[in-house]
Amino acid sequence: MFEQLEAFFEQPTAASYRAARRQLLASCATPVVSDLHALARAVAKRRYREAEALIDAMLPSWSLSPALHDLAARVASAAADHDDLELERFMFSSCLDGILDTGDGSHERPYLVTYLSDEYDVLAALRQRACRQQTNETAQGLVDEITCDDGSTVCFDVTDLLRRKTHVPTPHILSTRVARPRI
């Protein structure tokens, strides 16, 4: 059912990310952001069995989320499951690289995201901190323009996301984690 998703993880490129994203958006229910909040809370409180159940319930809708794979890696680490830990780190890195390969963050080539939380994962990878966010309509669609504390801007294509039904802002807990370097 999710051939493109499997193909993306076998060969994570911008083209395979876009194809997997299209398939995921067409095939899955709209991800509920409160699920990601609940997962982050469960991990923060070290309720790992609850976190595992939440992860299982969130898939496949959240399959391309770096945030989900980062949290899943923390769960695997706590369980000393080295195989799952390496897999989740790989998936985290692949998802993040897939997003970063879709553009350069400029107005002309914004990063293509699948979840609003992806914006904060990208900012963390770029070692940037958001201080202002504005959504603009462009000829290409809807773009979130985030102004960072150093004055730079990073742009994200959110056209598909904002045209879907359910959206809630990204939680503070996800935007404050320490950035991991790209693998």
Side-chain angles (χ1 to χ4, degrees):
M1 178 177 169
F2 292 100
E3 301 84 22
Q4 300 301 326
L5 191 58
E6 189 174 309
F8 167 69
F9 285 115
E10 287 175 5
Q11 190 171 42
T13 64
S16 63
Y17 174 82
R18 289 176 191 276
R21 181 181 179 277
R22 270 192 306 277
Q23 186 177 51
L24 200 63
L25 293 176
S27 303
C28 292
T30 302
V32 179
V33 175
S34 60
D35 291 345
L36 193 58
H37 295 236
L39 176 57
R41 278 192 306 276
V43 171
K45 292 181 179 183
R46 298 180 182 182
R47 296 189 317 238
Y48 298 118
R49 287 185 189 201
E50 177 184 341
E52 287 174 343
L54 286 166
I55 292 166
D56 289 343
M58 293 170 69
L59 294 172
S61 295
W62 287 89
S63 295
L64 290 175
S65 170
L68 176 118
H69 295 295
D70 180 55
L71 292 165
R74 294 180 196 190
V75 171
S77 178
D81 186 335
H82 301 291
D83 291 339
D84 266 1
L85 176 60
E86 289 307 310
L87 176 62
E88 292 299 342
R89 284 180 175 167
F90 168 77
M91 294 174 92
F92 168 86
S93 179
S94 296
C95 291
L96 191 56
D97 288 346
I99 295 166
L100 290 169
D101 288 346
T102 63
D104 61 12
S106 66
H107 289 95
E108 298 77 25
R109 294 190 58 234
Y111 295 117
L112 181 63
V113 294
T114 305
Y115 317 92
L116 292 178
S117 61
D118 293 351
E119 295 179 354
Y120 294 90
D121 293 323
V122 168
L123 291 175
L126 298 174
R127 303 194 189 290
Q128 293 288 351
R129 204 175 152 110
C131 59
R132 190 174 63 235
Q133 181 173 351
Q134 177 177 321
T135 303
N136 300 311
E137 189 158 359
T138 68
Q140 292 82 15
L142 298 170
V143 173
D144 265 0
E145 180 181 310
I146 297 182
T147 303
C148 301
D149 59 359
D150 68 357
S152 64
T153 59
V154 182
C155 298
F156 300 91
D157 181 341
V158 294
T159 305
D160 297 332
L161 306 184
L162 296 182
R163 292 193 175 143
R164 292 184 97 187
K165 293 180 183 175
T166 305
H167 297 285
V168 178
T170 302
H172 176 68
I173 190 168
L174 295 176
S175 63
T176 58
R177 72 171 181 270
V178 177
R180 283 196 285 177
R182 290 178 65 186
I183 299 172

